[in-house]
Amino acid sequence: MKLKNYAILGERVNLQDISEISKESNQIYEENCITAKLFDKPIYFSTEKLQNYSIDFWHMASLENKDLKRRNNAENYYNVKPCNNTNYSNKCTNCVEHLYPINIRNTSRDKCIYRMATIEWFGEIISKANKSDSNVKIWKVNCLNSKRVIETQVKIRYQESEIDYLIILKETENTHYFITAYPVFEHRQKIELDKEYRAKSSIIIK
């Protein structure tokens, strides 16, 4: 898989770039994500809209503003940006400067063209999971959701070369519900996911 290369003509990403890239990546979301099935079970996405697009699209296309929780810390949370070593790194600083925010369920997030560029990976990884691709790990965990109710989550992690992408779905008897999907960037989370995969409480599917 390769990272989609959106054209950015200026030296820095501007509002028009964000708007155009959002529109194009949302088309990919509608064609490749909401039509995907995991093990013949459909994956349901939210129909709630925000700024004309699904709230789940924006969840995939943005990342949480973690600087809001660090008001007494002069340094930004991302001293190395998630898009580091990509063509977007020198063009976009939104996760540091927070110029193009979006509020999702009372959480301030930053629109991210790097994450938008990875949205097409979702359908590709689900397809690879269905085919038992050697680069895919799949496991289940039982956990408390935000309403303090136990639910079963399916975690699908794709790792190949520099790509590390995680999909999390809620599983019910007949279907799956989208929770989140994003490129895993932080080293500590990579370690946490490795530990969870090997934990006795996890059910390894692959």
Side-chain angles (χ1 to χ4, degrees):
M1 298 193 310
K2 293 183 179 180
L3 183 66
K4 191 171 184 63
N5 186 24
Y6 287 114
I8 301 168
L9 299 180
E11 291 185 3
R12 290 294 181 93
V13 167
N14 58 35
L15 185 59
Q16 183 176 350
D17 293 322
I18 293 286
S19 178
E20 291 177 353
I21 294 172
S22 296
K23 183 178 181 180
E24 188 172 342
S25 58
N26 180 68
Q27 184 175 349
I28 293 171
Y29 165 83
E30 292 184 345
E31 293 175 352
N32 297 342
C33 296
I34 63 178
T35 59
K37 290 185 177 182
L38 178 65
F39 306 141
D40 293 323
K41 287 185 180 181
I43 302 171
Y44 283 105
F45 290 78
S46 175
T47 57
E48 182 181 350
K49 296 286 187 178
L50 183 62
Q51 296 184 12
N52 298 320
Y53 301 136
S54 165
I55 200 167
D56 283 342
F57 163 77
W58 283 123
H59 199 279
M60 297 175 74
S62 65
L63 69 170
E64 183 180 353
N65 179 353
K66 295 186 178 181
D67 286 333
L68 290 176
K69 299 177 182 179
R70 295 161 55 87
R71 291 176 180 172
N72 296 325
N73 193 323
E75 296 182 358
N76 292 102
Y77 181 86
Y78 290 116
N79 55 0
V80 178
K81 295 184 294 182
C83 62
N84 191 44
N85 296 325
T86 73
N87 292 337
Y88 301 113
S89 183
N90 293 327
K91 294 279 189 174
C92 184
T93 57
N94 198 33
C95 63
V96 177
E97 298 179 340
H98 316 297
L99 300 174
Y100 309 108
I102 187 165
N103 192 282
I104 301 178
R105 298 190 176 109
N106 298 317
T107 299
S108 181
R109 299 175 67 87
D110 297 309
K111 295 177 182 178
C112 176
I113 56 172
Y114 167 60
R115 283 200 173 187
M116 292 179 194
T118 67
I119 284 178
E120 66 180 4
W121 291 352
F122 182 95
E124 294 181 42
I125 292 170
I126 292 295
S127 178
K128 290 177 182 293
N130 289 328
K131 296 175 183 177
S132 297
D133 188 281
S134 60
N135 293 310
V136 176
K137 292 178 181 176
I138 310 171
W139 69 101
K140 295 182 183 181
V141 294
N142 292 319
C143 55
L144 289 175
N145 62 20
S146 59
K147 297 180 180 179
R148 308 296 293 175
V149 176
I150 294 177
E151 67 180 22
T152 300
Q153 293 184 355
V154 179
K155 299 192 177 184
I156 304 158
R157 187 181 182 191
Y158 181 85
Q159 294 170 283
E160 181 186 17
S161 186
E162 295 183 355
I163 298 176
D164 193 341
Y165 195 88
L166 179 68
I167 297 170
I168 304 178
L169 308 173
K170 172 186 173 182
E171 182 182 60
T172 63
E173 184 176 353
N174 298 314
T175 192
H176 295 99
Y177 292 89
F178 174 84
I179 296 178
T180 190
Y182 56 89
V184 181
F185 167 72
E186 297 180 66
H187 181 66
R188 60 177 173 269
Q189 187 184 19
K190 293 176 184 283
I191 294 175
E192 289 170 1
L193 288 170
D194 289 339
K195 288 181 179 178
E196 184 181 85
Y197 180 77
R198 296 191 299 266
K200 292 181 179 180
S201 57
S202 296
I203 302 171
I204 296 177
I205 306 302
K206 184 189 177 303

